């Protein structure tokens, strides 16, 4: 086993896990608030990303008009926005939720746009020949055809959301997993 203070053996790490996370009430004080912020931010990103992606992907003129702006904002790393969002929203939970939502929005939105745009025109035309209403076509043809890419974007966004949850809680936080990471680091725990 390791005798290095900075790299303890795995047995010491496992022995410290229980008292650190289970006995001190950290689940309710740090883990649950973090998961709640993640859930709210991710949910907002899903609603806005899928809704906006359906609109942008359905109308070609809207896609052509918004694509350069979307690509610009997609290229900005979400952790860079944390200081700006602190100025706009303060240091509370609202800022953390907005960081998570903004970071998760882009993969969902862009994958939804691409998925809707790539639905076969023959399927759309077949739906209109059979007299499907626009909302029925959207639900039964477009959403089903685009769903693999929508779910791929949602899966990417969730992993990004977990990272952003921790990063956003490292700045002026009083609870959460990110706060505990910084607390443990600063106190050599």
């Amino acid at each position: 086993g390791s005798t290095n203070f900075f790299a303890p053996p795995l047995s010491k790490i496992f022995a410290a896990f229980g008292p650190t996370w289970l006995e001190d009430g950290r689940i309710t004080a740090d883990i649950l608030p973090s998961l709640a912020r993640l859930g709210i931010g991710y949910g907002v990103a899903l609603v806005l990303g899928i809704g906006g992606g359906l609109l942008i992907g359905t109308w070609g003129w809207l896609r052509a008009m918004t694509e350069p702006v979307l690509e610009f904002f997609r290229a900005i790393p979400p952790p860079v926005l944390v200081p700006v969002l602190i100025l706009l929203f303060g240091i509370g939970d609202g800022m953390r939720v907005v960081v998570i939502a903004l970071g998760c929005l882009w993969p969902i939105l862009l994958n939804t746009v691409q998925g809707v745009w790539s639905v076969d025109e023959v399927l759309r035309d077949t739906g209109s020949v059979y007299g499907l209403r626009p909302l029925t076509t959207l639900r039964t043809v477009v959403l089903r055809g685009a769903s693999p890419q929508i779910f791929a974007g949602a899966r990417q966004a969730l992993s990004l959301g977990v990272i952003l949850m921790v990063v956003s809680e490292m700045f002026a936080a009083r609870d959460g997993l990110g706060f505990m990471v910084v607390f443990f680091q600063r106190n050599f725990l």
Side-chain angles (χ1 to χ4, degrees), residues 3 5 46 50 68 76 94 97 111 114 117 129 146 158 171 173 179-180 186:
T3 58
F5 175 76
L46 278 174
I50 293 172
I76 298 173
V97 169
N111 276 302
Q114 188 60 39
W117 188 254
V129 166
L158 185 58
F171 297 94
F179 168 75
M180 291 311 301
R186 290 181 181 161

Side-chain angles (χ1 to χ4, degrees), residues 22-89:
L22 302 177
E23 294 174 11
D24 292 341
R26 298 243 188 266
I27 289 178
T28 55
D30 294 310
I31 295 174
L32 292 180
S34 291
L35 291 177
R37 288 187 282 265
L38 174 65
I40 294 168
Y42 185 68
V44 168
L46 278 174
V47 169
L48 294 177
I50 293 172
L54 287 172
L55 288 173
I56 295 169
T58 301
W59 292 301
W61 62 270
L62 186 57
R63 180 178 183 206
M65 193 169 68
T66 59
E67 193 167 26
V69 175
L70 294 178
E71 291 298 328
F72 173 77
F73 283 114
R74 181 186 69 90
I76 298 173
V80 171
L81 296 175
V82 171
V84 175
L85 293 174
I86 287 175
L87 289 173
L88 294 175
F89 295 100

Side-chain angles (χ1 to χ4, degrees), residues 54-188:
L54 287 172
L55 288 173
I56 295 169
T58 301
W59 292 301
W61 62 270
L62 186 57
R63 180 178 183 206
M65 193 169 68
T66 59
E67 193 167 26
V69 175
L70 294 178
E71 291 298 328
F72 173 77
F73 283 114
R74 181 186 69 90
I76 298 173
V80 171
L81 296 175
V82 171
V84 175
L85 293 174
I86 287 175
L87 289 173
L88 294 175
F89 295 100
I91 58 172
D93 287 343
M95 179 275 297
R96 292 173 184 81
V97 169
V98 170
V99 168
I100 295 167
L102 279 178
C104 293
L105 176 68
W106 303 115
I108 297 168
L109 178 69
L110 295 173
N111 276 302
T112 302
V113 169
Q114 188 60 39
V116 170
W117 188 254
S118 65
V119 171
D120 191 8
E121 277 299 315
V122 173
L123 290 175
R124 293 177 197 248
D125 292 342
T126 303
S128 64
V129 166
Y130 280 114
L132 295 179
R133 295 187 177 118
L135 284 177
T136 305
T137 302
L138 182 71
R139 190 181 78 245
T140 59
V141 176
V142 175
L143 271 177
R144 288 184 185 179
S147 64
Q149 284 186 289
I150 293 171
F151 281 107
R155 189 176 62 235
Q156 284 177 327
L158 185 58
S159 61
L160 185 60
V162 171
I163 293 167
L164 291 172
M165 173 192 70
V166 173
V167 169
S168 70
E169 292 171 349
M170 290 181 165
F171 297 94
R174 293 180 311 276
D175 63 359
L177 292 173
F179 168 75
M180 291 311 301
V181 167
V182 172
F183 177 78
F184 290 153
Q185 175 198 21
R186 290 181 181 161
N187 293 298
F188 298 104

